[in-house]
Amino acid sequence: MSAPDRVDIVVYGTVALDRFFPSGLELPGGEALNTACLLAGWGVSVALVGTAIGRDPEGARLRELIEAAGLSRAFIPDDPAAVTPVCDIVVSPNGERTMSGRGFAQAIAPPVPEALFARRPIVAVDPNLGIQATQTALAAAQAGCPLVAMDFAHQPDVVAVAEVLQCSLESLRRFGGPTGEPEEIVAALPARTALLTLGAEGGIVRTEKGITRYRAYPLTDVRDTTGAGDAFRAGLCYSRLQNWPLERTLCFASATAACHCRRLGGASQVPLEEIHDLMAKNPVIIF
């Protein structure tokens, strides 16, 4: 699939092959690919700028899965020296998962896609690719792109230029960042919109207008929580593209993550109709 002529959203980061056990099912994965799959399913023109894919059998399968999701591989390098990242996942009956992987520490990051920033698309980045991810975030902001930065709470230079900073308690433990009560954490993050997701408890957001809390949508059919944060990020990016206000954005992003958890795997393509139906059935989650 060729590169899109127009790009509304750029997603920079990891692409991987997820293998689920004991079934052995192979699905697309990696934070960037998870987010991009949802956006593509909603008809968004998205450029996925991802880690290099090797010439190994796992790489061949991952190429098939990326193209099947309707995504271009124009910005995902093929590199015979690369080891395709693979994540092995065991999902428990309550939807929680245990992961192990290979190839992530050796992942070859793509170059900063500055040419894509000329028309100021929304840019979504996470820190998993180290200095290249940081450089991409800063270059996007310098170019005037709305920056959705996920899990960058430990990097003040990125926090300062992010339009939206999304983080979770898990990411704060992993990468570092402010500590304390949720209100104290978001207050310590000077992004224009600082958002802390709290899983089944919902989340908390700080903007210049103050603090907003939201509840998670109630679900009785959770199958797998893999990629829930990446799905939430897709909802944030889509909402920003529609210029929705904060409350609708939070409802849409939270509903996206909830519907995603009804499925197996990190890279789902939840129909917009399913998301809006969940929102309509639970109209009040903001408090």
Side-chain angles (χ1 to χ4, degrees):
M1 187 175 181
S2 60
D5 295 329
R6 185 197 80 257
V7 174
D8 294 320
I9 300 176
V10 175
V11 186
Y12 181 97
T14 304
V15 302
L17 180 68
D18 284 354
R19 300 187 300 200
F20 287 82
F21 292 91
S23 69
L25 184 65
E26 295 178 335
L27 295 172
E31 292 84 357
L33 182 48
N34 293 344
T35 295
C37 273
L38 276 160
L39 293 168
W42 298 332
V44 173
S45 178
V46 55
L48 172 60
V49 185
T51 40
I53 298 176
R55 299 286 175 83
D56 43 25
E58 293 83 2
R61 179 60 176 146
L62 182 55
R63 292 183 188 91
E64 293 175 354
L65 292 169
I66 291 171
E67 293 180 354
L71 289 162
S72 168
R73 292 195 295 107
F75 305 105
I76 305 173
D78 288 328
D79 190 331
V83 176
T84 303
V86 175
C87 186
D88 293 335
I89 303 172
V90 178
V91 181
S92 65
N94 67 356
E96 295 301 318
R97 71 275 189 224
T98 302
M99 299 181 176
S100 61
R102 69 127 219 235
F104 291 93
Q106 301 83 20
I108 299 174
V112 178
E114 294 189 46
L116 291 173
F117 300 159
R119 296 187 180 182
R120 297 182 179 177
I122 298 164
V123 178
V125 189
D126 62 72
N128 287 290
L129 295 181
I131 186 63
Q132 293 93 333
T134 300
Q135 291 172 348
T136 296
L138 296 177
Q142 180 65 31
C145 302
L147 175 63
V148 179
M150 185 172 78
D151 299 340
F152 272 102
H154 60 298
Q155 293 193 219
D157 51 348
V158 175
V159 173
V161 297
E163 181 172 300
V164 179
L165 176 74
Q166 172 191 345
C167 56
S168 65
L169 293 178
E170 180 182 355
S171 72
L172 291 173
R173 287 191 293 267
R174 177 182 175 190
F175 295 109
T179 59
E181 295 299 316
E183 292 85 353
E184 297 171 321
I185 291 172
V186 294
L189 298 169
R192 276 168 277 180
T193 298
L195 191 153
L196 177 66
T197 59
L198 300 170
E201 298 178 20
I204 184 169
V205 186
R206 182 204 49 76
T207 69
E208 61 182 10
K209 295 181 180 180
I211 298 286
T212 301
R213 283 183 170 270
Y214 66 91
R215 298 182 180 89
Y217 282 94
L219 286 180
T220 59
D221 53 352
V222 172
R223 186 177 182 190
D224 179 15
T225 59
T226 303
D230 308 326
F232 191 99
R233 176 172 64 164
L236 292 178
C237 292
Y238 186 82
S239 298
R240 176 61 176 80
L241 191 62
Q242 310 304 317
N243 289 313
W244 287 341
L246 178 64
E247 289 195 3
R248 185 171 182 183
T249 294
L250 293 175
C251 290
F252 182 82
S254 184
T256 298
C259 291
H260 168 81
C261 290
R262 291 169 166 165
R263 294 157 169 82
L264 184 66
S268 66
Q269 292 194 316
V270 181
L272 288 170
E273 294 78 11
E274 180 180 339
I275 297 167
H276 290 307
D277 181 63
L278 182 61
M279 292 168 63
K281 291 177 179 176
N282 301 272
V284 181
I285 67 163
I286 307 296
F287 66 101

